[in-house]
Amino acid sequence: MSKVIWLASWYPNEYEPVVGDFIQRHAKAVAELMPITVIHVVQLGKDTKAKDKVKVNENGNLKEIIHYFSYKKMGISWLDKLLYNSRYLRYYEKVLKQYVKQNGKPLLLHVHVPIKAGIVARKISKQWKIPYIVSEHSSLYLKEAKDNFYNRTLFFRYHTKKIFRDAAFVTNVSATLGNVIKQMFGLKEVITIPNVVNTKYFNYQPKEKNKIFRWLHVSTLFPLKNPEGIIHAFHRLSQKRNNWELVICGGPVHAYLTELVSSLELSNKIKFTGEIPYKKVAKQMQNADAFVFFSKHENFPCVIAEALCCGLSLVSSNVGGIAEAINKSNGLLVQSEDIDALKKALTELMDNRTKYQAQYISDTAIEKYNFSAIAKQFIALYHQLIKTNETDF
């Protein structure tokens, strides 16, 4: 039996295979040291059809229980949204209670992303008289986020506040966003536990120097990642020098991006791979010379930590918690959406590439972001609440 049950609002599933993959990596890390059960009810919304079913995955100490449920629309949008949310919460509470009836009550609940799993955790916590922890990963608390907290519904804002304030501990993947949450909700403390990196794949591999300097960008290519800004910066760079290439991984790759590259006559310099498997992302990083990132807002992106573990120096926009990882030994920061500043930083890093020591960058990052280091931080919190010996887990 898992004495700690994770309730994840986001988690990879068959409809959205990469949503919450960073939460899954946290789960895999902690499961290397203790049993963990993750219970996730997929949030598909009132407009997506699904069948009632459950999928269980077991790998060592990690058990993942993914639930899907059907919803028949009434045809009135506001009513369907209300009924769907109500059914979702009742369904989540039901499957959690069923699991506990069969396996016994846990000592602790660990919520990842407050809405909506945190609503269930808060209610069950009071009924069972057990504590819960909340780990937040989103950047929606920043005003520059398009769909930020202040633009959310009263339901969302009310329950988020209650979930945070009643939690035994609140954690965030960056101190920057943690401080924002702390101030917003009047919390005593928000503990920083960064994203984790699977250093089995993401590590430094010595290679021969590329004849042409290879830049790499990895993201979902959503608008907040600002891939257009990156492309425009490289276009400006091409007016001064051509000893570079840019590989862009991730997707979906929308036509407007390929058309932009073509219109700027950069098709021979900028290549898109589309979505590729996790292990192949690591290979791309190991074959690159540097990493570029230009998001409009972020919390602390996994790809930043992964690139550092591969020994890459970086140029990035100074948003969210990225500055907590970037310093003069491993990269340069620029203001978000300042394309000319990005172009200048790209030039500066290329001109000073020898000052960045790949092995040192990798060693420093791996020490901080490896599975064991991150898992021990979570388990230390569990011990404070459960007050038990590590062997009892």
Side-chain angles (χ1 to χ4, degrees):
M1 182 194 88
S2 298
K3 295 187 178 181
V4 178
I5 294 179
W6 286 29
L7 305 181
S9 298
W10 304 344
Y11 209 74
N13 59 82
E14 65 180 49
Y15 290 89
E16 300 168 310
V18 298
V19 168
D21 56 354
F22 40 85
I23 298 172
Q24 186 179 51
R25 285 194 284 276
H26 268 152
K28 289 178 178 179
V30 177
E32 288 196 350
L33 300 181
M34 62 174 283
I36 290 292
T37 296
V38 178
I39 300 177
H40 173 61
V41 178
V42 180
Q43 299 187 60
L44 295 175
K46 60 183 177 61
D47 298 318
T48 304
K49 295 181 180 179
K51 295 181 180 179
D52 292 330
K53 66 177 181 179
V54 58
K55 185 174 179 59
V56 179
N57 304 312
E58 293 192 60
N59 185 6
N61 276 334
L62 178 60
K63 185 175 186 178
E64 301 169 316
I65 307 174
I66 314 297
H67 283 267
Y68 304 80
F69 70 92
S70 59
Y71 175 74
K72 186 176 181 180
K73 293 175 66 173
M74 302 292 290
I76 303 172
S77 182
W78 68 266
L79 180 60
D80 279 321
K81 185 174 182 179
L82 180 67
L83 292 175
Y84 177 86
N85 284 333
S86 176
R87 174 156 166 70
Y88 181 89
L89 294 172
R90 285 187 284 110
Y91 189 94
Y92 212 142
E93 184 177 344
K94 177 184 175 181
V95 299
L96 177 58
K97 287 183 174 179
Q98 285 178 340
Y99 176 83
V100 168
K101 185 177 181 180
Q102 296 171 359
N103 299 276
K105 187 170 73 174
L107 300 176
L108 173 68
L109 298 174
H110 189 161
V111 173
H112 285 264
V113 183
I115 303 295
K116 303 184 177 75
I119 298 174
V120 176
R122 182 169 174 263
K123 180 178 180 180
I124 295 298
S125 171
K126 292 179 179 180
Q127 291 179 359
W128 294 347
K129 300 190 185 312
I130 60 172
Y132 71 91
I133 292 172
V134 178
S135 292
E136 180 57 291
H137 303 258
S138 174
S139 63
L140 67 87
Y141 305 96
L142 299 173
K143 291 184 178 180
E144 54 265 36
K146 184 177 181 180
D147 189 21
N148 67 47
F149 178 81
Y150 304 96
N151 294 329
R152 296 298 183 96
T153 64
L154 179 61
F155 172 92
F156 186 98
R157 288 182 280 120
Y158 171 82
H159 284 287
T160 299
K161 181 189 297 184
K162 291 292 187 181
I163 292 163
F164 278 138
R165 288 184 174 178
D166 288 350
F169 288 117
V170 175
T171 79
N172 199 283
V173 294
S174 77
T176 302
L177 268 292
N179 287 332
V180 171
I181 291 171
K182 178 181 176 181
Q183 296 299 319
M184 284 180 67
F185 302 105
L187 306 178
K188 290 182 179 180
E189 182 182 23
V190 175
I191 299 160
T192 303
I193 301 180
N195 278 318
V196 69
V197 176
N198 189 335
T199 56
K200 176 182 177 181
Y201 307 120
F202 292 86
N203 51 62
Y204 173 62
Q205 295 294 322
K207 65 178 186 301
E208 292 185 10
K209 183 178 178 180
N210 290 322
K211 293 180 180 179
I212 297 178
F213 194 99
R214 180 178 297 174
W215 287 94
L216 178 68
H217 172 74
V218 180
S219 77
T220 57
L221 304 185
F222 292 161
L224 75 88
K225 304 296 183 180
N226 202 7
E228 305 100 307
I230 293 174
I231 292 168
H232 281 295
F234 275 93
H235 176 247
R236 296 184 189 183
L237 179 65
S238 70
Q239 307 305 307
K240 299 290 185 181
R241 59 199 302 171
N242 285 301
N243 61 329
W244 58 268
E245 61 183 352
L246 170 63
V247 177
I248 298 178
C249 298
V253 181
H254 294 289
Y256 75 90
L257 290 175
T258 55
E259 289 169 2
L260 176 61
V261 169
S262 179
S263 69
L264 296 174
E265 299 182 350
L266 292 174
S267 297
N268 64 327
K269 304 293 288 181
I270 298 177
K271 305 296 182 183
F272 295 92
T273 69
E275 292 187 44
I276 59 176
Y278 187 62
K279 294 178 184 179
K280 289 190 176 181
V281 172
K283 290 295 183 183
Q284 287 285 353
M285 288 185 174
Q286 289 165 346
N287 290 329
D289 294 300
F291 192 84
V292 59
F293 202 74
F294 199 45
S295 286
K296 298 175 182 179
H297 62 86
E298 286 285 352
N299 191 339
F300 179 62
C302 291
V303 291
I304 295 292
E306 289 163 350
L308 291 172
C309 286
C310 289
L312 293 179
S313 50
L314 292 93
V315 172
S316 174
S317 51
N318 187 2
V319 293
I322 292 176
E324 297 166 34
I326 307 301
N327 55 57
K328 63 182 181 180
S329 73
N330 59 24
L332 300 167
L333 294 169
V334 300
Q335 185 175 340
S336 174
E337 301 188 67
D338 189 336
I339 293 174
D340 193 52
L342 178 59
K343 186 268 291 185
K344 291 178 180 177
L346 296 173
T347 303
E348 181 180 343
L349 190 144
M350 291 173 70
D351 287 342
N352 297 281
R353 64 184 299 178
T354 56
K355 90 173 199 178
Y356 299 103
Q357 301 300 311
Q359 186 69 67
Y360 172 79
I361 292 172
S362 175
D363 290 345
T364 304
I366 286 175
E367 183 178 4
K368 185 175 182 179
Y369 303 119
N370 73 79
F371 270 30
S372 179
I374 300 302
K376 287 177 180 177
Q377 294 177 61
F378 280 122
I379 291 173
L381 294 185
Y382 300 163
H383 281 312
Q384 289 186 52
L385 295 176
I386 296 173
K387 301 187 186 305
T388 184
N389 295 321
E390 187 170 342
T391 54
D392 291 336
F393 280 128

